[in-house]
Amino acid sequence: MASDRDFFSFLGPLHLSTVDWNNEHHRRSVAASLVQGVYVLERDRQQNRKGLESLASPWWEFFHFQLVLQLRDDVDSSIFGSIYEFKPPACNCHHSIQEAPRYVIAFRGTVINPNSFTQEDLRLGFLFTINGLHETSRFKVSMQAVKNKVDAAGALNIWLAGHSLGSAMAMLAGKNMAKTGVLLQTFLFNPPFSSAPIEKIEDKKLTQVIRITKSFITAGLAVAVKGHQSEDPFVVLSPWIPCLFVNPADDISSEYIGYFEHREKMEKIGAREIEELATRNSIRNLLLRKTETEPLHLLPSANLTINLSPSPDFTRAHGIRQWWRPDLHMHCKLYQYRWKWR
């Protein structure tokens, strides 16, 4: 039986009958809706909803997108991503239409239903926590799809979008492309942060002490394990500025709030060089001697949006549907990584 969450007519952003592509709230809502379309595609598959019974298409057709490719997992054949092409009607003469993407590559997060769920989603979630997502067949399929579209259409015509585990997939793809000089517009909804949720500690003075202590320990370990390295991987990645959307009540993504705020605090107390080392390393990776790649969840730059609207429970705080609500109370801030030439 279909859940109400799958019906666009019930929960979709119906208020966006006309999209202003210069409006960041409209852009965010459309990107989130396209990600939701991937979730519903997979639930259509799981529940064998076909033809007139399928519910996914309104999530993209409402905004004049067409589904051009489903991305399927080699392990369990689940649909984990979609590539959409923007096909506006000839009568659409809105002045901002030139700012619309030609293609959007969207990735869903974990699908867990009472009667069916994909074990592969859970396995990939675990691999994310140990920085192993880049070795999976699902990511290899994703990366190839992104490269193919960039080669065919150009970076300026492509958006990446993802939610939860899907945002980790989009983040990794975006990072890989940025290392080659290709900067893709990227929307990361509730991206997982692979670290203890220090942000949830109510005593903010204690939180600050823990963060400062952690920074000094991380920086010390980095020097002991990696030595003094002149090359800073964050310098290469810093021009790429993905849009991060997090909720303080979401234990999975809320740590990004403190992660970026702490950088500024360390600079104010004169500990910038310590934080430059700490911010691009993780204690877990250093202890395990996994130093060949930077941890996936660590980012040099981001446009961080925090949903300050009340969230009654974790499910809503981590859910995708909050990001197309027209009445959000949000705080937005740009964090641009800066470095010193030595």
Side-chain angles (χ1 to χ4, degrees), residues 3-69:
S3 168
D4 287 343
R5 62 184 171 177
D6 291 343
F7 287 93
F8 182 85
S9 59
F10 184 70
L11 283 179
L14 297 170
H15 59 285
L16 287 181
S17 55
T18 300
V19 176
D20 178 357
W21 293 100
N22 287 317
N23 186 310
E24 62 183 25
H25 303 298
H26 290 196
R27 292 157 67 94
R28 179 197 73 239
S29 298
V30 173
S33 182
L34 297 181
V35 172
Q36 175 69 359
V38 186
Y39 276 107
V40 183
L41 270 173
E42 172 57 14
R43 285 194 282 267
D44 279 348
R45 184 194 70 85
Q46 288 187 5
Q47 299 175 32
N48 200 32
R49 299 191 303 235
K50 298 179 180 179
L52 295 177
E53 293 183 349
S54 63
L55 301 175
S57 60
W59 290 96
W60 58 82
E61 290 178 348
F62 185 81
F63 303 107
H64 307 296
F65 282 87
Q66 293 180 2
L67 177 65
V68 295
L69 184 65

Side-chain angles (χ1 to χ4, degrees), residues 115-271:
N115 300 318
S116 65
F117 63 90
T118 163
Q119 293 279 0
E120 187 63 9
D121 284 356
L122 301 182
R123 187 180 76 87
L124 291 175
F126 169 74
L127 288 174
F128 167 81
T129 65
I130 61 173
N131 210 40
L133 196 60
H134 63 287
E135 299 174 344
T136 65
S137 62
R138 184 180 292 191
F139 176 69
K140 291 174 182 177
V141 170
S142 303
M143 196 68 244
Q144 191 59 56
V146 172
K147 287 180 178 178
N148 289 346
K149 273 299 163 211
V150 169
D151 290 343
L156 295 178
N157 295 311
I158 296 170
W159 287 4
L160 296 180
H163 173 249
S164 194
L165 178 61
S167 67
M169 200 77 67
M171 184 186 297
L172 184 52
K175 273 189 170 186
N176 283 1
M177 296 305 295
K179 290 175 181 177
T180 68
V182 176
L183 308 180
L184 298 177
Q185 176 72 64
T186 306
F187 299 82
L188 305 174
F189 300 101
N190 303 89
F193 193 98
S194 182
S195 180
I198 302 173
E199 189 66 21
K200 302 300 291 183
I201 298 175
E202 294 184 2
D203 188 333
K204 295 307 173 185
K205 289 185 178 180
L206 175 60
T207 299
Q208 186 171 352
V209 170
I210 293 173
R211 289 194 187 282
I212 292 174
T213 303
K214 183 181 177 184
S215 289
F216 276 87
I217 292 173
T218 305
L221 276 173
V223 171
V225 173
K226 302 166 75 172
H228 292 277
Q229 296 180 333
S230 58
E231 181 182 357
D232 183 353
F234 269 28
V235 172
V236 177
L237 289 172
S238 60
W240 179 57
I241 307 177
C243 298
L244 267 65
F245 302 92
V246 304
N247 190 313
D250 174 20
D251 293 343
I252 291 175
S253 67
S254 63
E255 188 59 21
Y256 275 107
I257 301 171
Y259 170 73
F260 284 107
E261 289 179 347
H262 178 62
R263 265 203 226 152
E264 291 188 337
K265 291 177 182 177
M266 289 292 280
E267 184 169 354
K268 287 179 180 177
I269 66 173

